Amino acid sequence: LYDFDPAAFDAHAHDFLRALRHPAHLNLFLAELKDEDVTRTEYPTTTTAVAATAATAGRPGEGGGGSLVGPAGLGGGGGGGGRDPHGAQRALQREMLAAGPRQADGTVDTGARPGKINHVCAVVRAAIEAVAPRRFLLSTLTTYVRQVPSGLREVLVVLKDLHVRDLKRQREQQQQKDAALLLGKVSAAAAAGSDGGGGGGGGGGTPGK
């Protein structure tokens, strides 16, 4: 998800979170992160196939200069001589895989991406805070655990803050219950006093008759 287009992932991390049906899916994504470009290390054929297609498209007789095969199965107007464009593409792809992708300085790109895990965790954590911090609380903790070096101190801070907030919420709820109970007692006492006062007034009027 990240390596195919890092800029797009950074720009749409909020949309990525909103599309998730379950927070566990985000935890799985974070747990599988590596400081490497998987399009180079695990799925190199994906990117090299695109590059090979682009390369063969411009070669005469290999997809870039008219028809390769005529109606009768003979060479067409592009000078292809009946050559198989798919075979040429596969051959070029094998050559590119064997040579290995190159970096800007010409050295072989091994796919290592130091700091990728920390970057992705920071992007996801910021998106969580903006989208749904309560729903993805466990994922927030995971981003701290997965970063290098591991942010266990930050995890403890988050857990402490959560505990303090829960205690505060419990106290507020208890205060509301106590206030409601006290109000009920006051109302009951006021009603009883009103009834007693009315009865006393009626009894005092009897001797005067």
Side-chain angles (χ1 to χ4, degrees), residues 2 30 33-35 113-125 143-151:
Y2 176 82
L30 294 170
L33 286 175
K34 300 178 182 178
D35 272 339
R113 297 293 184 270
K116 170 193 162 182
I117 293 178
N118 288 0
H119 174 76
V120 175
C121 285
V123 171
V124 170
R125 190 161 55 243
T143 62
Y144 286 118
V145 174
R146 289 289 290 124
Q147 69 184 25
V148 182
S150 182

Side-chain angles (χ1 to χ4, degrees), residues 85-155:
H86 300 292
Q89 179 178 326
R90 286 192 294 269
L92 180 59
Q93 182 177 336
R94 286 193 296 269
E95 293 175 7
M96 295 174 69
L97 284 173
R102 298 283 173 173
Q103 301 187 58
D105 58 1
T107 58
V108 176
D109 184 2
T110 61
R113 297 293 184 270
K116 170 193 162 182
I117 293 178
N118 288 0
H119 174 76
V120 175
C121 285
V123 171
V124 170
R125 190 161 55 243
I128 288 174
E129 289 299 320
V131 175
R134 296 288 298 182
R135 182 184 181 216
F136 293 105
L137 175 61
L138 182 58
S139 297
T140 298
L141 301 180
T142 304
T143 62
Y144 286 118
V145 174
R146 289 289 290 124
Q147 69 184 25
V148 182
S150 182
L152 294 180
R153 183 177 182 277
E154 288 80 1
V155 170

